[in-house]
């Protein structure tokens, strides 16, 4: 992992297909939604926390959330300021990582992961009257929640939360929704770890069921294997629907791809289809996909504004296209 740009990366930046939406703060992990005819983006707010880099991601020391909005994806972004701070969340101590948001019955819900005082991630929810917040957190984390990267998808009146990330996200420590300190990633020839999905209760504040595995199958109908690092799930789930099909997309983590798989219902299984985005400058890659006025857009991030500092990222957007068979056309963020 580089903390400064190589000559090749410097050249790539000159070809970048999009620029940071905001430059006065660092933002990452954008979850984009259309509320009230505008696009609202719920990103992480990167800061320089002064923590050395490690594989657990401790250097990602984010403390709060800002909400951005855009009248359209071709325009400028407005920063609405701090919507929620970790000091206001009774159960959380640190590391406010990638959030998401949802709307139901006049209320907006901000879902977020954070570490408890014992260093274990859980997922919480905060409620607001406006899409930009401020949000008031529930006093306790969602019962039965764990790991990171909540993404909430609405389908036919029901809301489903997808979540989970390995390595620093701790997903490898869980089997059958139970934590085990001795658990690690499966061997290469075993089925890969998967994201989790759970339907939410009517009040949007709890799981209505035990989380299930989000199984991704290969072209032969077999689960992707743990050693298939170019295709297997690592973190950053997202769900969208296109022409009646369910598109589950995610990051492969250490191979730095955004990939997707397609299924027939919100629970899957999903069959791997291909790559959405090739690697960005910086170690992490994380995204969302949203439709606005008949066009589709990919919100993503890279470390271009910070000149390659992995934990100081910037949110970007580019248009996304499908072919006649519903396959997403792969995007190169630097226009090669």
């Amino acid at each position: 992992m580089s903390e400064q740009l190589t000559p090749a990366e410097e050249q790539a930046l000159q070809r970048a297909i999009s620029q940071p939406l905001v430059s006065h703060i660092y933002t990452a992990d954008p979850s984009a939604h259309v509320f009230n005819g505008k696009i609202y983006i719920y990103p992480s707010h990167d800061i320089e926390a002064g923590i050395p880099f490690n594989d657990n991601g401790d250097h990602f020391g984010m403390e709060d959330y800002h909400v951005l909005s855009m009248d359209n994806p071709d325009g400028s972004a407005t920063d609405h300021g701090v919507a929620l701070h970790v000091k206001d969340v009774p159960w959380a101590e640190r590391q406010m990582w990638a959030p998401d948001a949802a709307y139901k019955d006049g209320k907006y819900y901000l879902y977020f992961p954070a570490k408890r005082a014992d260093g274990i991630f859980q997922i919480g929810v905060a409620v607001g009257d406006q899409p930009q917040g401020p949000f008031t957190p529930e006093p306790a984390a969602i019962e039965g929640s764990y790991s990171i990267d909540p993404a909430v998808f609405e389908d036919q009146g029901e809301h489903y939360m997808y979540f989970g990330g390995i390595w620093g996200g701790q997903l490898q420590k869980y089997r059958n929704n139970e934590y085990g300190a001795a658990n690690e990633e499966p061997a290469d020839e075993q089925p890969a770890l998967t994201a989790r999905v759970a339907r939410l209760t009517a009040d949007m504040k709890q799981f209505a069921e035990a989380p299930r595995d989000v199984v991704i199958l290969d072209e032969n109908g077999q689960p992707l294997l743990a050693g298939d690092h170019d295709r297997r799930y690592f973190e950053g789930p997202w769900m969208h629907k296109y022409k009646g099909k369910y598109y589950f997309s995610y990051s492969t983590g250490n191979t730095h791809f955004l990939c997707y798989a397609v299924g027939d219902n919100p629970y899957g299984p999903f069959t791997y289809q291909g790559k959405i985005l090739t690697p960005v400058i910086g170690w992490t890659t994380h995204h969302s996909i949203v439709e606005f006025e008949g066009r589709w857009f990919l919100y993503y991030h890279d470390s271009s504004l910070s000149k390659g500092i992995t934990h100081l990222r910037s949110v970007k957007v580019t248009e996304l296209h499908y072919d006649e068979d519903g396959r997403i056309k792969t995007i190169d963020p630097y226009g090669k």
Side-chain angles (χ1 to χ4, degrees):
M1 185 201 70
S2 173
E3 290 293 315
Q4 60 183 7
L5 296 180
T6 65
E9 288 172 331
E10 290 278 10
Q11 292 177 4
L13 278 187
Q14 303 305 312
R15 303 189 304 269
I17 61 173
S18 60
Q19 298 301 314
L21 297 186
V22 295
S23 58
H24 65 290
I25 58 173
Y26 291 108
T27 53
D29 312 320
S31 294
H33 294 272
V34 177
F35 295 134
N36 305 325
K38 296 174 64 171
I39 295 178
Y40 287 86
I41 304 114
Y42 300 85
S44 303
H45 174 205
D46 284 352
I47 60 172
E48 182 50 79
I51 300 169
F53 170 84
N54 61 39
D55 284 341
N56 286 328
D58 291 335
H59 49 299
F60 293 97
M62 300 87 95
E63 297 177 344
D64 63 17
Y65 297 111
H66 287 230
V67 179
L68 309 178
S69 69
M70 307 177 77
D71 289 333
N72 63 76
D74 301 313
S76 59
T78 298
D79 176 7
H80 294 277
V82 175
L84 180 68
H85 195 284
V86 69
K87 63 179 173 54
D88 297 320
V89 182
W91 62 269
E93 183 180 83
R94 64 188 188 278
Q95 289 179 284
M96 302 283 272
W97 284 11
D100 193 18
Y103 169 82
K104 184 179 180 182
D105 297 337
K107 296 289 186 180
Y108 296 88
Y109 298 86
L110 181 71
Y111 299 92
F112 59 94
K115 278 184 179 174
R116 306 181 312 221
D118 64 0
I120 301 298
F121 270 113
Q122 274 198 276
I123 297 169
V125 58
V127 186
D129 294 321
Q130 302 179 88
Q132 68 270 28
F135 294 95
T136 301
E138 292 293 297
I142 295 172
E143 186 175 352
S145 69
Y146 54 93
S147 196
I148 60 170
D149 292 354
V152 176
F153 170 71
E154 188 275 328
D155 188 52
Q156 301 179 46
E158 298 285 358
H159 289 80
Y160 303 84
M161 181 188 289
Y162 301 83
F163 64 94
I166 61 176
W167 293 15
Q170 304 174 347
L171 185 63
Q172 70 275 8
K173 297 295 184 182
Y174 290 85
R175 300 292 187 274
N176 300 314
N177 300 320
E178 295 291 334
Y179 181 90
N183 290 333
E184 295 297 344
E185 291 181 73
D188 284 356
E189 67 277 6
Q190 294 179 323
L193 293 172
T194 69
R196 306 290 192 262
V197 57
R199 182 169 52 84
L200 294 174
T201 52
D203 68 1
M204 303 289 282
K205 296 178 181 179
Q206 295 291 336
F207 291 158
E209 58 188 1
R212 313 181 192 188
D213 288 354
V214 180
V215 177
I216 304 172
L217 305 175
D218 65 15
E219 61 276 12
N220 299 313
Q222 298 300 309
L224 293 182
L225 300 180
D228 189 355
H229 288 203
D230 281 352
R231 299 193 296 177
R232 65 89 172 87
Y233 178 84
F234 187 99
E235 65 185 0
W238 188 258
M239 176 65 72
H240 76 280
K241 201 171 180 180
Y242 178 75
K243 294 189 174 179
K245 294 288 188 179
Y246 296 82
Y247 285 62
F248 177 73
S249 48
Y250 57 95
S251 167
T252 62
N254 59 318
T255 49
H256 320 295
F257 297 117
L258 292 180
C259 294
Y260 75 106
V262 173
D264 294 321
N265 66 77
Y267 292 113
F270 301 92
T271 301
Y272 179 87
Q273 299 295 309
K275 297 179 177 68
I276 298 172
L277 189 73
T278 55
V280 296
I281 290 169
W283 199 93
T284 69
T285 189
H286 193 120
H287 74 299
S288 57
I289 295 169
V290 66
E291 183 182 16
F292 185 79
E293 296 183 350
R295 299 161 66 195
W296 289 88
F297 294 88
L298 176 73
Y299 281 81
Y300 65 104
H301 70 234
D302 70 9
S303 295
S304 57
L305 187 65
S306 67
K307 301 298 184 184
I309 298 175
T310 281
H311 59 282
L312 299 178
R313 300 159 292 180
S314 297
V315 168
K316 296 183 165 188
V317 62
T318 191
E319 192 163 0
L320 180 144
H321 300 279
Y322 305 83
D323 69 15
E324 60 274 11
D325 297 320
R327 289 183 175 270
I328 295 173
K329 296 183 179 181
T330 305
I331 298 167
D332 186 317
Y334 308 106
K336 293 178 185 174

